[in-house]
Each structure stands twice: as C-alpha cells, then as structure tokens.
Amino acid sequence: MFAPDQYQLLDFGAGRKLERFANTVIDRPSPAAEGCKVAHADLWETATARFINERPGGGVGSKGAWEEHFGRSSSEAGEPWVVRHGAAAFEMKLGASGNVGLFPEQDTNWDWIGDQITVLRATAPNDPPRVLNLFAYTGGASLAAALAGAEVTHVDSSGPTVAWAKANAATSGVAHLPIKWLVEDAMKFVGREVRRGNRYDGIIADPPTYGHGPKGKPFKFRKHLDALMEMCGELINPNPAAGQFLLFSCHALGFGLADAISTVSSVVPEHAAGRVTGHNMCLTAGDGRTLDAGIAARWTAVTTS
C-alpha cells in the first residue's frame, strides 16, 4: 500500500477525482465518479493541475490538456516529481492523456506479486522465478517482482514508456536488477514465446481497452483478449511450484468481475492446486468512500493469508 504521504484520494464527484501524489494535487476526469456529488468542495481549490478533456465525458486516456498551477507557487506541476511505493520510486509527469505515471489502484496487486515471489523463492532459493509483465507501462509490477527476487521480462509497445520504466528503476536505485526491457507488441511476443517453448513462473497482464503495437497493429480488448489469455496460460511453467501465479487486470467498461474470473479460470494450468480469486480495484478517500478503478483476477498455485 502507498504511505499516506505518498498518495491519497482526496475527493471525487461530478465525473472527476482529486488526488494527491506526494506534494502535488491533481484534478482529473473519472467516469466512475459520474452521478455522485463532491463531498469536500474546499479541497478542490488546492489543485496544482487540472486535466480538461477535449471531449466532455472522456476519462483519463482521452485527448485533452492540463491547466497548470492555478497561480500557486507551492509546487511546479509541470516539472517531474517522485512518488514512492515501498522501495520503488516513480518519476511522475503530467502526461498528454491525463496520466501521470502510475495507476495507484494497482498497489495491492504489487504487494500480492511480491508475496508470490517470496513463496517461490522459499521453494527454490537458488533458482530465481521468471516473471513476464505484459502491457507493463512504467514498471510498477516489474519493480515489485524484481525487488522480491524475480527475473523479469517487461513488455510494452511504447518506446518512451519503456524508457520511463527504466528510469524508474534507476530512480529506485535498482537498475542492476535482472529486468529485460522490451519494446514489443504483446500479442506477437507471447506467440513467439509459446513457439520457443519458454515458460514463466508468474505472468502479469493489464491489457488496455484499445492500444497498438510499435508498428501500429491494434489491440482490441474484446477481439484479442481470449487469444492473449490462452497463450498466457500456455506460458505458465509446467513444473508445479508453490507460488506460481497469473494476474489479470483491466479497466474495460462492461467487463465485470465474473468475466475476469472466468477468463483466468479457463486458461490456468490443471497441474497445480490453487484457485482463482477476483477483486474490484478501488481507491478509498479519507472519508471512507470508495471509487471504482477496474477489476483484477488472480490465480496462484497456493493460497496466501
């Protein structure tokens, strides 16, 4: 989990969310916040930067522009700053589509990944687990796995984003850890890995609703998800080991928790005991209200408390 001084959801409502990343307060769109009222109107005046969509109703990831500073000098929102999660440090920026460099709702998944690697390491302390992270963005899950002792293959289709992830490893002081940074089309890469006979002890996939590879080939969630996950299932190490895992998360509208659990359950290997669990990813404000932020399904060869 993020320490309170590193990330907080301050408020949400009227289709927007107000977040504090370290000392920088961000006001940006959130379709999940439609239909509810702002609870603490005074807090919104503390925003350092506000993202405005070109198209009303769009969420983070839509085209738009940042309105910076609001006449305040307490934080230069246009300059990179750092947010920490445990031993990992993330360089934050105001992205062109409203993103800032991490998805804070993934923090519990990062903690869970570390737990699975710890179990795998205890089983075979001299044989580092191999982990594949697909659609890996700026490296939160990759760093979580590597810091716990895994060898990681980090795959993302965006060269600048992979460079950003590598910079996060350097900022964290762990550029020496065994992470292979690849600018690749995820579908093509997993297909090649299946044909090569390569296998992994843990696989992480956070596919977008829509994306494209380095050469422009599109990834469409509804069209390509089944084939992607089937190949991920084939890439799980066939030698049973406590702690083997598959983590799938997404933010696709209309794709529910039962769908995610079913998707993972249909592809996990039959050789290992374990079960698939699912949870709604959410952000919790200081007043206890929760904001939906996607779904995740997890399979592990053992259950952990």
Side-chain angles (χ1 to χ4, degrees), residues 268-294:
V268 295
E270 298 179 357
H271 66 258
R275 66 191 182 95
V276 177
T277 59
H279 70 279
N280 291 302
M281 296 189 296
C282 63
L283 301 171
T284 303
D287 58 10
R289 294 180 304 144
T290 59
L291 179 66
D292 289 340

Side-chain angles (χ1 to χ4, degrees), residues 44-220:
W44 295 76
E45 297 302 316
T46 68
T48 307
R50 177 185 295 137
F51 187 78
I52 304 298
N53 283 320
E54 290 181 359
R55 177 176 56 83
V60 172
S62 302
K63 291 183 178 180
W66 289 96
E67 295 178 351
E68 299 178 23
H69 310 315
F70 298 117
R72 294 171 175 80
S73 58
S74 59
S75 176
E76 292 295 322
E79 298 297 324
W81 72 103
V82 172
V83 169
R84 298 184 179 277
H85 179 272
F90 298 89
E91 184 179 90
M92 309 291 288
K93 306 173 187 176
L94 299 182
S97 297
N99 291 312
V100 293
L102 62 80
F103 293 100
E105 63 270 18
Q106 290 281 359
D107 64 345
T108 57
N109 286 331
W110 299 339
D111 294 338
W112 182 85
I113 290 165
D115 291 342
Q116 307 319 303
I117 300 301
T118 298
V119 173
L120 282 160
R121 292 284 288 169
T123 303
N126 297 319
D127 188 15
R130 300 184 68 224
V131 171
L132 173 63
N133 186 13
L134 301 169
F135 310 97
Y137 193 45
T138 58
S142 295
L143 288 174
L147 284 163
E151 295 180 351
V152 181
T153 300
H154 173 110
V155 179
D156 197 276
S157 65
S158 167
T161 302
V162 172
W164 193 348
K166 291 177 69 175
N168 285 338
T171 301
S172 303
V174 294
H176 62 284
L177 291 180
I179 305 175
K180 184 184 296 183
W181 308 98
L182 300 178
V183 180
E184 289 269 12
D185 179 291
M187 291 290 289
K188 290 183 177 179
F189 180 77
V190 294
R192 290 200 305 272
E193 290 291 88
V194 169
R195 293 191 295 273
R196 292 166 178 159
N198 286 336
R199 297 295 182 264
Y200 295 87
D201 300 296
I203 297 177
I204 304 155
D206 182 39
T209 303
Y210 178 83
H212 57 82
K215 296 184 179 180
K217 185 174 181 179
F219 176 88
K220 298 180 180 179

Side-chain angles (χ1 to χ4, degrees), residues 112-120 123 201-203 236-237 240-248 261 264-265 267-278 297-305:
W112 182 85
I113 290 165
D115 291 342
Q116 307 319 303
I117 300 301
T118 298
V119 173
L120 282 160
T123 303
D201 300 296
I203 297 177
I236 293 289
N237 191 333
Q244 288 177 338
F245 69 90
L246 173 59
L247 168 62
F248 162 71
I261 293 172
V264 173
S265 298
V267 302
V268 295
E270 298 179 357
H271 66 258
R275 66 191 182 95
V276 177
T277 59
R298 304 164 171 170
W299 167 79
T300 182
V302 295
T303 57
T304 57
S305 59

Side-chain angles (χ1 to χ4, degrees), residues 1-10 19-25 81-86:
M1 299 289 289
F2 281 99
D5 64 340
Q6 295 300 298
Y7 175 79
Q8 284 187 321
L9 175 65
L10 300 176
E19 303 162 284
R20 182 176 57 75
F21 292 90
N23 294 321
T24 299
V25 178
W81 72 103
V82 172
V83 169
R84 298 184 179 277
H85 179 272

